[in-house]
Amino acid sequence: MKPPKTHIKTQTSMAHAQGCPRLDSLKYDEACFEVAFNSSEKHGVKVLAQTAECYLCDLEELGHLPAKGGNHYFKINNTAYPLKFAFVDDRDDQPLCHLKFHFEEHGLYRLNISNNTCSPVETIEPPHNIYSPFLHLIGAYVICLILYQLFKCSHVFLLSWRSRSSLISSEIRNDLGSVSSGGDSAVLLRTEPPTPQKKNKARVKALDAFRGIAICLMMFVNYGGGKYWFFKHSAWNGLTFADLVFPWFTWIMGVGIAISLRSQLRACVKRKQIFISVLRRACVLIILGVILNSQHQNDLSQMRLPGVLQRLGLAYFIVASIETCFMEKQTVDQNSARWIFMPDMLESRAQWFVVKCLLGTYFLIILFLPVPGCPTGYFGPGGLHNHSAFFNCTGGATGYIDRLVFGENHLYQRPTSAKIYKSTIPFDPEGLLGVIPTVFLMFLGVQAGRILHCYQSTDARVKRWIFWSVLTVAMAAVQCKFAKEGGYIPINKNLWSFSFVLVTASSAFFIFFALSLLIDHFQLWSGTPFRQAGMNAILLYVGHDVTHDVFPWSWKPHSVSSHFEFLFMNVWATALWMLIAFALHKKGFFITI
């Protein structure tokens, strides 16, 4: 169903302005566009535009160039994506020209229209380099690192000097002789038995470091990501840094399930007790997620029910329950394997069968469930997509099931698709149907953890992690046809599409194998400071969510003309939590669920 025509004419990435503002008064991701219109004809020109990120969307009318001609100015509100625009003769609606151009922050651009032709876009004032704040940040980090190393070296030198001074004094006293209680000169030596040390459970440091990297990137993204587009979630199809964080957490939780359950089974813990523990942890995650949602809306009639922790809790319960039922106490003998992946696959054949059944059910639902007013098998963003043909069909079956189960008032009200595609119905990226692909991603993490048990040599483990990384990314590439749009199954974080799960799993396998070599095998890096953050991940997640708009983690920026202050503020907030995690690690204080 198409929306009313008045709805289509909404604000886009380009807004008409009476006069071009001074360039130094523009905000971040804004630019100025001047159109010089000279025509001998007694007719005007309509200006149409649309961001290139809006796939299969019609251009929207933004303004009108009157017949008398002159210079007209437009402010570009979003320079993150290229802009498609057209100039149309208002007598017969014939286009004079179609253009696509990527305006950049604080640039001044000009286009001339004369004799019913358009010139190429000229750059009058060069744009700002939006990446210069990163260079300043890297410079500041290098300076801090040098100062830290100097302090560390001076501290070591001071300790060494004190130790040497103490040794010299001891030698002098020995040369002069020391009087014992018995009156004889002697050096008294005291031998004490070593203090018994508590045996700590062996931890996979690479896993803690990976979890720490994920939580730090999540905090940075949630605080604002410096207002850069690549630290924001994709409008619909596509992949950004922000889209990787939640899948990494899911995958890491799967690795933890494999390690934890195997340890409990080997310790002869009853499966019934393990299941109760799994259920308790899942309930705590779900309840905690609902409580965090109530910060933004505590009206029970409108409070959002799905969320990140809720999705993790449900997926954890399903995966951990499957593993509790089918995981063996001992690993399969790797000498019996003929293929490169045989022992870990052989051991988990029952689990794979259950997960494949879940995936089959998922595909049957999204492809064949009838959705009123929408085509079967549609999983687009709705709104302006596909020339506004399916305006109220955002997410297809995925969105429809959430609206049936939770109701529109209990879903996320500002989906990422709304800004680009102008969709108006709520859509939740952590909805109910997406739990199944999340289960599959977590199960792939279990597979990575199972490799740790089945193979003792680093070489064998790395080969298998690389194999899984290559396999999953190849499958994802085929499904999306190596393109952002137009594939069989596009990469989509909002829907947790199968290709999205595979490509994020591939990145997780690759990062984990790299960290394992760097930290656990070659021991070239201790994992600091990410390892300490990863060991208190739930505390950091809850803490950063509660203090999102609280000083000293955030404040109202003094300048909004560039990304600099936003980047500094968001990096500072993340670093502050990392310092807190480091201090708590020193104290031996950890919060786990």
Side-chain angles (χ1 to χ4, degrees):
M1 184 180 73
K2 289 192 177 184
K5 198 171 182 181
T6 54
H7 181 87
I8 300 179
K9 294 181 180 180
T10 53
Q11 185 182 13
T12 64
S13 298
M14 190 165 79
H16 190 273
Q18 294 298 324
C20 186
R22 288 169 40 200
L23 295 181
D24 58 4
S25 68
L26 293 174
K27 297 179 181 179
Y28 66 92
D29 287 344
E30 290 185 348
C32 189
F33 183 37
E34 177 185 356
V35 179
F37 178 46
N38 300 304
S39 176
S40 57
E41 304 289 340
K42 295 183 179 180
H43 59 83
V45 172
K46 288 185 287 189
V47 183
L48 309 177
Q50 184 59 264
T51 175
E53 183 70 7
C54 197
Y55 183 61
L56 297 178
C57 298
D58 295 325
L59 301 183
E60 297 177 323
E61 185 175 340
L62 296 175
H64 183 265
L65 305 180
K68 63 181 181 180
N71 292 353
H72 301 268
Y73 300 92
F74 297 87
K75 184 172 69 173
I76 310 300
N77 290 328
N78 188 352
T79 60
Y81 310 107
L83 194 68
K84 298 181 295 184
F85 51 97
F87 297 93
V88 178
D89 192 322
D90 62 3
R91 291 180 308 175
D92 50 13
D93 286 337
Q94 290 299 313
L96 302 179
C97 57
H98 286 274
L99 297 169
K100 182 179 178 181
F101 191 79
H102 194 173
F103 298 92
E104 297 181 58
E105 184 179 280
H106 291 197
L108 174 60
Y109 303 89
R110 179 185 295 159
L111 179 142
N112 296 309
I113 302 178
S114 59
N115 299 322
N116 295 335
T117 59
C118 303
S119 70
V121 178
E122 303 175 65
T123 302
I124 307 302
E125 291 289 340
H128 288 177
N129 181 5
I130 64 170
Y131 303 105
S132 60
F134 280 107
L135 299 178
H136 289 88
L137 181 67
I138 292 170
Y141 173 76
V142 171
I143 291 171
C144 291
L145 188 62
I146 291 171
L147 291 175
Y148 172 75
Q149 291 297 334
L150 288 174
F151 171 77
K152 192 175 177 181
C153 290
S154 62
H155 182 66
V156 170
F157 175 78
L158 185 61
L159 288 177
S160 175
W161 181 79
R162 285 180 177 176
S163 175
R164 189 178 300 173
S165 300
S166 174
L167 182 61
I168 292 171
S169 300
S170 175
E171 289 175 352
I172 292 173
R173 285 195 300 271
N174 289 341
D175 290 340
L176 295 175
S178 62
V179 182
S180 66
S181 57
D184 297 321
S185 295
V187 178
L188 302 179
L189 300 176
R190 180 179 296 174
T191 306
E192 295 180 354
T195 309
Q197 300 248 340
K198 252 189 182 175
K199 242 187 179 174
N200 290 330
K201 260 169 64 176
R203 294 185 67 94
V204 182
K205 292 181 180 179
L207 188 63
D208 288 328
F210 192 8
R211 190 186 298 109
I213 291 170
I215 188 63
C216 290
L217 185 57
M218 175 178 279
M219 290 189 294
F220 176 68
V221 165
N222 289 349
Y223 276 124
K227 299 295 183 181
Y228 287 99
W229 67 268
F230 43 83
F231 287 123
K232 297 178 182 177
H233 292 295
S234 301
W236 195 249
N237 294 334
L239 194 67
T240 66
F241 285 109
D243 297 329
L244 294 169
V245 181
F246 187 13
W248 285 350
F249 259 110
T250 305
W251 188 90
I252 290 167
M253 184 174 279
V255 181
I257 289 172
I259 295 172
S260 173
L261 288 187
R262 180 81 74 186
S263 299
Q264 293 180 68
L265 289 172
R266 284 178 175 174
C268 296
V269 179
K270 293 182 179 179
R271 294 182 189 266
K272 181 181 178 181
Q273 292 178 333
I274 295 175
F275 178 78
I276 292 172
S277 176
V278 165
L279 179 61
R280 180 195 63 80
R281 190 182 187 199
C283 289
V284 170
L285 284 171
I286 293 169
I287 293 169
L288 188 57
V290 173
I291 291 172
L292 291 179
N293 282 356
S294 69
Q295 292 181 101
H296 314 291
Q297 174 60 267
N298 60 4
D299 183 349
L300 297 182
S301 64
Q302 297 183 356
M303 188 172 71
R304 182 191 177 200
L305 295 178
V308 171
L309 293 183
Q310 295 93 310
R311 170 74 68 84
L312 282 175
L314 285 171
Y316 169 78
F317 175 73
I318 295 171
V319 175
S321 297
I322 294 171
E323 290 296 326
T324 301
C325 293
F326 297 109
M327 181 180 278
E328 301 292 339
K329 289 184 180 181
Q330 300 298 328
T331 58
V332 175
D333 181 12
Q334 54 184 301
N335 294 323
S336 64
R338 294 185 179 181
W339 305 101
I340 193 170
F341 53 86
M342 193 61 181
D344 44 307
M345 294 294 291
L346 182 65
E347 182 184 293
S348 58
R349 56 192 181 278
Q351 294 95 311
W352 273 103
F353 176 77
V354 176
V355 171
K356 286 177 181 177
C357 289
L358 289 174
L359 283 176
T361 305
Y362 167 76
F363 279 114
L364 287 174
I365 292 173
I366 65 170
L367 293 176
F368 301 109
L369 179 71
V371 179
C374 304
T376 303
Y378 178 80
F379 34 82
L384 302 178
H385 176 253
N386 203 12
H387 312 290
S388 305
F390 313 116
F391 196 85
N392 293 320
C393 297
T394 303
T398 302
Y400 177 62
I401 288 174
D402 287 339
R403 292 191 293 274
L404 282 180
V405 175
F406 299 112
E408 290 193 5
N409 291 339
H410 297 288
L411 300 176
Y412 191 55
Q413 301 296 313
R414 302 181 304 279
T416 56
S417 61
K419 188 174 181 181
I420 299 295
Y421 290 95
K422 308 298 187 298
S423 56
T424 56
I425 60 173
F427 178 83
D428 209 299
E430 280 80 51
L432 197 59
L433 193 57
V435 171
I436 297 178
T438 307
V439 164
F440 180 63
L441 180 58
M442 191 176 291
F443 182 70
L444 289 176
V446 173
Q447 189 65 32
R450 192 173 283 116
I451 289 171
L452 281 170
H453 293 300
C454 290
Y455 302 94
Q456 300 307 311
S457 70
T458 303
D459 181 61
R461 291 172 176 176
V462 166
K463 283 180 181 178
R464 281 147 185 86
W465 289 329
I466 293 177
F467 167 79
W468 279 103
S469 181
V470 172
L471 176 66
T472 50
V473 76
M475 291 174 64
V478 170
Q479 289 175 21
C480 70
K481 292 186 177 180
F482 296 85
K484 180 179 177 180
E485 305 284 358
Y488 304 113
I489 305 177
I491 296 172
N492 188 298
K493 189 265 178 189
N494 283 278
L495 298 173
W496 277 67
S497 66
F498 195 57
S499 58
F500 171 78
V501 167
L502 291 172
V503 76
T504 52
S506 173
S507 65
F509 275 110
F510 183 83
I511 292 172
F512 185 57
F513 108 77
L515 291 175
S516 295
L517 287 179
L518 193 63
I519 297 174
D520 292 321
H521 183 68
F522 294 116
Q523 298 182 355
L524 298 175
W525 178 39
S526 66
T528 302
F530 298 108
R531 185 168 57 86
Q532 289 81 353
M535 293 174 72
N536 249 326
I538 192 66
L539 173 66
L540 267 60
Y541 180 85
V542 174
H544 99 278
D545 193 81
V546 172
T547 61
H548 189 275
D549 297 316
V550 177
F551 183 82
W553 287 273
S554 66
W555 56 86
K556 184 179 180 179
H558 175 71
S559 171
V560 294
S561 61
S562 74
H563 293 270
F564 185 83
E565 188 173 356
F566 292 103
L567 181 64
F568 173 81
M569 179 171 62
N570 302 152
V571 169
W572 160 254
T574 306
L576 192 57
W577 277 113
M578 291 179 72
L579 286 171
I580 292 171
F582 189 83
L584 293 176
H585 181 270
K586 285 286 186 183
K587 297 285 186 182
F589 181 84
F590 305 99
I591 293 181
T592 56
I593 294 178

